[in-house]
Amino acid sequence: MTTAVTRPAGLPKRGLPRGRPGIWLVWACVAFFLVNLFALILSVVVNSFGTKWFAGWLPQGFTSTWYSDAWDEFALGEVLTVTLEITLVVVALALLIGVPAGYALARRDFPGKRIVMFLLLLPVLLPPITYGIPLATVLYKVHLAGTMTGVVAANLVPALPFVILVMTPFVEQIDTNVESAARMCGARTRQVFTRVLVPLLLPGILAAGILVLVRTVAMFELTFLVADADSQTLIVALYSAAFTPGIRAAQAIDAMAVIYMALSAVLLIIALMFVNPTQIVAQVRETPAE
């Protein structure tokens, strides 16, 4: 004998939401944006393999020689080497300075702390071109522009505050009793930081380092303002190939763009493997009820 199951009063019926056209409009706009974005990327990828493409949905033929031509014409081997060197130096210096600075901001209260936090937010929030021109002027006056040192210094301006802002909530999530216990066992401040805090902060350090790596590879404005032909990164070389005067094959430029997109995609995938976006948000400390 079967018994009928009645739905409790007040519970909504399962199924797709009805009578809410605003939600469908939002999803339609998101789908339209994604379709256009995918179409733009796909057109670049297809054109990088095409021979001639003047009419129709597809090129008249396909070839992979444009990649070897772009590699030789734009000296991508040297450009990628310079990009890697500059990026690694920026990441190393940003972590070396930013991790202790983030610890100091998380553990110490001092007059003007909010002003310091606000100043650190400015290079991250403002468009790089707003402070890039005065920064480039200063670097030219001290004869650092046109060198790898100048490019590293320019990229450190937004990278260092970014590391500090990312590391601060990670430090705040570590209980101060851990440091107190280590000091009670005879550990000095340097030992507490290197042997206790750094292993606990390793996820945050990896997150900050990989995010700075992605930002530095994609940083066009600051690098363009201070770099020369021997110190330009891949993004600057791509823009130069596309917009400087001269006759260049569009397929070779698109092949170079595909290489840049592949590099950025690989870095983004690696970043998502280590970065949980919720960890970047400061953890709200609950106060016990009195």
Side-chain angles (χ1 to χ4, degrees):
M1 183 176 180
T2 59
T3 57
V5 179
T6 58
R7 182 183 299 273
L11 290 179
K13 296 182 179 181
R14 294 181 179 180
L16 296 175
R18 298 180 180 179
R20 303 178 68 179
I23 296 179
W24 295 108
L25 180 61
V26 171
W27 279 110
C29 293
V30 172
F32 179 76
F33 170 77
L34 293 178
V35 169
N36 281 273
L37 180 63
F38 178 76
L40 288 173
I41 297 175
L42 184 62
S43 64
V44 174
V45 174
V46 172
N47 191 43
S48 66
F49 289 98
T51 55
K52 296 180 180 180
W53 195 3
F54 296 104
W57 289 94
L58 293 174
Q60 298 178 5
F62 294 93
T63 180
S64 60
T65 57
W66 295 115
Y67 285 86
S68 59
D69 294 343
W71 189 274
D72 296 333
E73 181 180 358
F74 304 121
L76 292 185
E78 299 178 2
V79 172
L80 289 175
T81 302
V82 172
T83 302
L84 183 62
E85 292 175 352
I86 291 175
T87 303
L88 293 179
V89 173
V90 170
V91 171
L93 292 178
L95 292 178
L96 186 63
I97 304 173
V99 174
Y103 172 81
L105 286 177
R107 289 288 191 257
R108 300 289 184 268
D109 290 328
F110 52 88
K113 181 178 178 179
R114 292 186 177 182
I115 298 177
V116 173
M117 295 295 294
F118 175 75
L119 294 177
L120 291 174
L121 280 172
L122 289 180
V124 179
L125 297 178
L126 292 177
I129 196 65
T130 57
Y131 58 87
I133 296 177
L135 176 62
T137 304
V138 173
L139 292 177
Y140 273 102
K141 287 184 178 180
V142 297
H143 305 288
L144 288 179
T147 63
M148 292 185 61
T149 304
V151 176
V152 170
N155 282 274
L156 272 176
V157 172
L160 182 57
F162 183 79
V163 171
I164 296 174
L165 294 174
V166 171
M167 291 305 304
T168 300
F170 278 95
V171 176
E172 291 177 347
Q173 293 176 8
I174 298 177
D175 194 352
T176 56
N177 293 328
V178 176
E179 303 175 43
S180 300
R183 290 190 174 92
M184 289 181 61
C185 294
R188 298 180 179 179
T189 302
R190 182 177 179 181
Q191 294 174 332
V192 171
F193 188 81
T194 57
R195 297 186 180 183
V196 178
L197 291 178
V198 170
L200 295 175
L201 292 174
L202 189 58
I205 294 174
L206 290 175
I210 296 174
L211 290 174
V212 169
L213 184 70
V214 175
R215 287 172 58 91
T216 305
V217 171
M219 181 60 68
F220 168 74
E221 294 90 343
L222 299 180
T223 307
F224 174 76
L225 291 173
V226 298
D228 61 355
D230 297 328
S231 59
Q232 62 180 355
T233 58
L234 181 59
I235 184 65
V236 177
L238 177 59
Y239 273 83
S240 299
F243 297 107
T244 53
I247 300 176
R248 301 176 183 86
Q251 294 90 336
I253 297 176
D254 287 342
M256 188 177 180
V258 171
I259 294 175
Y260 171 74
M261 287 190 295
L263 177 62
S264 301
V266 170
L267 294 176
L268 180 60
I269 292 173
I270 296 175
L272 293 177
M273 291 173 59
F274 293 97
V275 178
N276 184 3
T278 59
Q279 293 178 342
I280 303 178
V281 182
Q283 187 180 30
V284 179
R285 297 181 179 179
E286 297 182 358
T287 57
E290 297 180 359

